[in-house]
Amino acid sequence: MRKLPGGDTLVKRVATMLWVVVLMGGFAAGPGSPSAAGAPKAYVGLFKDDAVAVIDTAQNKVLGTIAVPKGPHGLVVTPDGRKVYVSSDGASTVSVIDTAADRVAANIDVGANPHGLAVSGDGSRVLVLGWGSNRALIIDTATDRVIGEVPVAQPHNGTLSRDGRIGWVASQQQGATALVRLDLSTWKEIVRVPLDKTPRGLELSPDGRRVFFTLAGVNAIQVLDTATNRIVTQIPVGASPHYAPFTPDGRWALAVVQGPGELGILDTANSTLAGTVAVGKAPHWSMSSSDGRTAYVTNEGSNDVSVVDLASRTVTATIPVGNAPRKIAVQPGSGAAATPPAQTRAAAAPSGKSKSVTLGGVTYADHGTKDVRNLSKLELEADDYYFSPTFLRGKPGQKLTLLVGERGEYAAQHQHSRARHRQRHPAQGQGTGGRHLTGLRNTGCLLQVPRVARHERPAADRRRRAERGALD
């Protein structure tokens, strides 16, 4: 990774065995960066403007808009961030947006009045709910062609399994409302769950075990067990919930509650409402960043997007976007957002496949970037002698408290060696609590949190780890 233009490198120790490198200067923008700040972009369907707004999530501002056919309804982004698919219910097409150029690269004929879209976790398929044609269709994202369909009466929204072979669809046919399970290998309906109310938004959990969905006139999220195909519980959230997608790790679900204008944060472990955040008027849809730390909520009544920090449960920014924003999708992050869960990272690191950067002649593992300009504190993940995220983007003069959360082998090693480290470094012997970063004087800064340097670890610890066959 190149050094930021016009910047000196400042090294400050902020906690036990933690270094922060401050790269002073402007934004970093390398080849293929999703935005000028190296941050992912968010795409918002503007139903009354017949356009898609493009948001730079680093600066929380609209970069521009992309014209699409009338009434953009469904909108999804592929997991690699390269394509956005937009259905227009005033037309008969799905538009394919090339996110590198932010332009429509193709249009796919899918029949009259397509409503919702869903993308498989592996990115291979997009589900199209053909309201006007009474069918659910599958687009192959490699060819952008329809490869199959299943008859479903008035399908509104849907969700796909990770491999795109199983689909769940909300059928809104009057007198026969239901959730319908589709086998998208045999192209058949295999399960029908009758409902006495009209289904709205639905989402399959990352582990495939549950579907969270909403019903018109019911002030609770419905929870369906996919093993039994039965509704097992409901989670009261307030008037008119619309959609409750999961964070990527499945730990939380983010319920858009339209009546009070709130984002309900659901604890999926015990199916309870953990908290609420007031957002804009008539919220329509929500989506989280791929690190699960930030939620984006479209507010159709106030024509803006609320940016919610899920740790503090506060709105950190409100972005005017255009008329009647409905669906939103966020590109995967180029840093921490894009890295797998901690246990996967720890296993992958020894293979040499993880990304790395070299600064000042020292090579560090790159575990991502976090925008902290609107935060006062941040929890860092420490696992097997690295920290995540690696880079923090801050503001001049900002004070930021860093809290180190210890995981896995690092936690045990760190507890064992903390006392000796304090003896060797008494000035920093205050434990792994927070420290303030101050005196950032330039107009932009990037803070780097590299993995713990090997020389910080006592030689005896290294020998013991080597004898156990531990990987460094």
Side-chain angles (χ1 to χ4, degrees):
M1 178 176 179
R2 64 183 178 85
K3 188 175 178 181
L4 296 181
D8 295 324
T9 301
L10 174 66
V11 180
K12 298 177 73 176
R13 193 184 293 266
V14 296
T16 303
M17 298 173 73
L18 175 65
W19 291 82
V20 175
V21 179
V22 183
L23 303 180
M24 309 302 293
F27 293 113
S33 295
S35 68
K41 292 179 286 191
Y43 292 80
V44 182
L46 304 176
F47 191 76
K48 292 184 179 179
D49 288 343
D50 301 332
V52 173
V54 184
I55 296 174
D56 179 343
T57 63
Q59 302 179 70
N60 288 328
K61 71 175 186 180
V62 173
L63 298 173
T65 59
I66 305 165
V68 294
K70 185 174 180 58
H73 195 129
L75 186 151
V76 294
V77 63
T78 53
D80 62 10
R82 295 179 179 178
K83 293 180 179 180
V84 169
Y85 292 80
V86 185
S87 60
S88 294
D89 70 10
S92 60
T93 58
V94 169
S95 303
V96 184
I97 295 173
D98 174 1
T99 61
D102 281 337
R103 63 177 181 82
V104 175
N107 289 287
I108 306 167
D109 189 0
V110 294
N113 309 118
H115 277 201
L117 298 177
V119 63
S120 61
D122 63 7
S124 64
R125 292 180 164 194
V126 169
L127 173 67
V128 182
L129 288 314
W131 170 271
S133 60
N134 293 309
R135 55 186 179 161
L137 306 95
I138 288 292
I139 294 172
D140 181 340
T141 59
T143 62
D144 287 334
R145 294 181 178 178
V146 174
I147 59 171
E149 61 183 65
V150 183
V152 180
Q154 293 183 339
H156 179 56
N157 282 311
T159 183
L160 284 176
S161 62
R162 177 169 179 78
D163 63 2
R165 306 296 170 174
I166 295 293
W168 286 90
V169 174
S171 173
Q172 294 188 337
Q173 183 183 24
Q174 288 189 345
T177 51
L179 285 193
V180 179
R181 183 171 181 166
L182 306 178
D183 184 327
L184 298 172
S185 296
T186 61
W187 307 102
K188 293 180 179 179
E189 175 185 319
I190 55 175
V191 171
R192 177 170 288 261
V193 181
L195 302 169
D196 59 1
K197 302 284 186 179
T198 302
R200 304 180 75 195
L202 67 161
E203 184 81 2
L204 182 66
S205 62
D207 62 10
R209 295 179 179 179
R210 292 173 290 176
V211 174
F212 278 25
F213 69 100
T214 58
L215 295 171
V218 178
N219 299 335
I221 303 298
Q222 311 300 302
V223 180
L224 181 139
D225 182 340
T226 60
T228 62
N229 299 313
R230 294 176 180 269
I231 298 171
V232 293
T233 191
Q234 59 180 1
I235 309 170
V237 292
S240 192
H242 189 212
Y243 178 57
F246 295 86
T247 53
D249 61 3
R251 180 67 180 86
W252 309 99
L254 308 175
V256 173
V257 189
Q258 295 179 310
E262 292 177 342
L263 180 70
I265 301 173
L266 310 183
D267 185 335
T268 62
N270 53 27
S271 297
T272 59
L273 178 64
T276 60
V277 181
V279 290
K281 295 179 181 179
H284 183 91
W285 213 249
S286 68
M287 190 61 59
S288 72
S289 57
S290 52
D291 61 5
R293 296 171 181 170
T294 304
Y296 297 86
V297 183
T298 57
N299 302 303
E300 189 172 4
S302 49
N303 296 323
D304 51 32
V305 170
S306 298
V307 182
V308 179
D309 177 71
L310 293 175
S312 63
R313 296 178 184 172
T314 58
V315 174
T316 58
T318 300
I319 310 169
V321 291
N323 292 307
R326 289 192 175 180
K327 303 304 188 290
I328 184 169
V330 184
Q331 284 182 313
S334 56
T339 34
Q343 61 268 29
T344 305
R345 286 199 302 270
S351 71
K353 295 181 180 179
S354 60
K355 294 193 299 182
S356 63
V357 293
T358 301
L359 298 168
V362 180
T363 299
Y364 304 102
D366 180 4
H367 293 280
T369 301
K370 174 70 176 177
D371 189 338
V372 297
R373 284 174 289 184
N374 294 309
L375 302 181
S376 61
K377 64 175 60 176
L378 175 71
E379 182 177 351
L380 296 173
E381 176 188 311
D383 192 331
D384 289 343
Y385 293 91
Y386 69 75
F387 294 88
S388 175
T390 303
F391 295 97
L392 310 179
R393 186 175 299 283
K395 294 186 293 189
Q398 177 181 355
K399 289 185 178 181
L400 177 67
T401 300
L402 299 180
L403 304 174
V404 179
E406 299 171 353
R407 294 176 62 95
E409 186 177 355
Y410 175 80
Q413 291 282 337
H414 192 65
Q415 292 288 342
H416 179 73
S417 63
R418 185 177 293 161
R420 281 182 296 166
H421 186 86
R422 286 176 179 168
Q423 292 172 359
R424 291 185 293 119
H425 303 281
Q428 292 112 34
Q430 306 302 316
T432 57
R435 289 290 188 275
H436 291 300
L437 298 177
T438 61
L440 306 183
R441 295 182 296 273
N442 287 20
T443 57
C445 65
L446 187 66
L447 317 179
Q448 187 215 359
V449 184
R451 63 181 173 85
V452 176
R454 290 193 174 109
H455 68 265
E456 292 286 324
R457 201 183 310 140
D461 286 359
R462 292 200 301 271
R463 287 196 297 273
R464 279 193 293 271
R465 284 168 57 83
E467 290 167 1
R468 294 196 309 267
L471 292 170
D472 201 2

